[in-house]
Amino acid sequence: SQELEQSPQSLIVQEGKNLTINCTSSKTLYGLYWYKQKYGEGLIFLMMLQKGGEEKSHEKITAKLDEKKQQSSLHITASQPSHAGIYLCGAGANAGGTSYGKLTFGQGTILTVHP
Amino acid sequence: NAGVTQTPKFRILKIGQSMTLQCTQDMNHNYMYWYRQDPGMGLKLIYYSVGAGITDKGEVPNGYNVSRSTTEDFPLRLELAAPSQTSVYFCASSLRRATSTDTQYFGPGTRLTVL
């Protein structure tokens, strides 16, 4: 089965600093999702990457999927307290329909941003 | 559009009690999922459904049951609650086109404690 490993497990940064969270897969990634979770709330969809080399940005958050499709990174530029939360990566099992859209998740990265 | 809604938000059960976690989506999504989230463990898939009347086990189905009588509703049943079922439970849904991987949308979660 596919496993996702996120690093670091937790991160504390000063407001305004840049940071990167990594997600490494034991198998080829087909559909890599990034979600953000605030304590006591559900998961909010951030971005999805499918193609090797793909890069997407939303406001100050950029996600990349490497060419070999086994690692993704999430980069936050000029972090703000509103970026604080738990970031999770999730991946589909395979490219076809037999996975029924099931996702495997990493363990999450807890981000704290000090003002 | 309310998206994915879950009730209750919090619940405390005694060992051996039963309960049903409710999940409803109003997006006409075919696929629905139940996950549990334990600290530092990411999300684990309990059960999923690809349409009304069709359900299947995920990674950690023991101690749970589901049904899917309508497209909108996907309740999760705990028959004999055990302390190991203390967790945060998330319901999710996706449209699921034939061959692509669709984004899963999550409910706000149910925080369950079994004492």
Side-chain angles (χ1 to χ4, degrees):
Chain A
S1 61
Q2 186 172 36
E3 293 184 357
L4 296 178
E5 184 74 25
Q6 287 185 235
S7 62
Q9 291 189 355
S10 64
L11 194 54
I12 302 174
V13 299
Q14 204 68 31
E15 182 177 0
K17 295 295 185 183
N18 302 336
L19 64 103
T20 300
I21 298 168
N22 292 305
C23 176
T24 302
S25 173
S26 59
K27 297 183 179 181
T28 300
L29 292 164
Y30 296 101
L32 188 286
Y33 297 81
W34 283 101
Y35 287 89
K36 179 187 175 183
Q37 181 184 22
K38 289 192 173 182
Y39 181 78
E41 299 180 15
L43 280 67
I44 299 169
F45 170 73
L46 295 175
M47 278 171 276
M48 179 205 169
L49 306 164
Q50 278 192 297
K51 300 176 183 178
E54 187 174 10
E55 179 176 322
K56 288 187 178 178
S57 293
H58 177 66
E59 297 180 343
K60 295 185 178 180
I61 301 176
T62 301
K64 301 179 185 179
L65 182 60
D66 77 355
E67 291 287 345
K68 294 183 180 179
K69 296 178 68 176
Q70 285 200 265
Q71 186 175 56
S72 178
S73 61
L74 186 81
H75 185 76
I76 299 177
T77 304
S79 59
Q80 300 170 350
S82 61
H83 288 127
I86 302 172
Y87 289 82
L88 295 109
C89 62
N94 57 52
T98 56
S99 69
Y100 302 116
K102 291 182 289 184
L103 296 180
T104 298
F105 284 88
Q107 80 276 28
T109 295
I110 302 172
L111 172 63
T112 304
V113 181
H114 286 310
Chain B
N1 254 359
V4 181
T5 57
Q6 291 182 240
T7 57
K9 288 188 177 180
F10 304 94
R11 185 72 185 267
I12 298 174
L13 285 181
K14 294 183 179 178
I15 294 172
Q17 285 186 320
S18 301
M19 78 164 292
T20 299
L21 282 67
Q22 301 292 344
C23 175
T24 300
Q25 54 91 9
D26 62 359
M27 297 175 282
N28 202 30
H29 283 175
N30 296 319
Y31 283 50
M32 296 187 75
Y33 311 85
W34 274 106
Y35 295 90
R36 60 176 287 171
Q37 183 181 35
D38 300 313
M41 299 295 290
L43 278 75
K44 301 290 185 184
L45 182 66
I46 305 171
Y47 270 95
Y48 68 100
S49 169
V50 302
I54 307 171
T55 63
D56 205 349
K57 296 177 181 179
E59 189 178 354
V60 290
N62 292 342
Y64 308 94
N65 278 301
V66 294
S67 60
R68 184 98 180 269
S69 57
T70 66
T71 299
E72 295 78 20
D73 301 308
F74 190 40
L76 178 72
R77 178 83 177 160
L78 283 71
E79 290 295 346
L80 292 171
S84 61
Q85 293 178 306
T86 295
S87 188
V88 182
Y89 292 84
F90 288 101
C91 179
S93 71
S94 67
L95 181 60
R96 192 71 180 115
R97 300 183 188 93
T99 57
S100 67
T101 304
D102 277 332
T103 301
Q104 289 188 20
Y105 296 90
F106 284 77
T110 294
R111 189 173 296 272
L112 175 67
T113 302
V114 182
L115 301 173

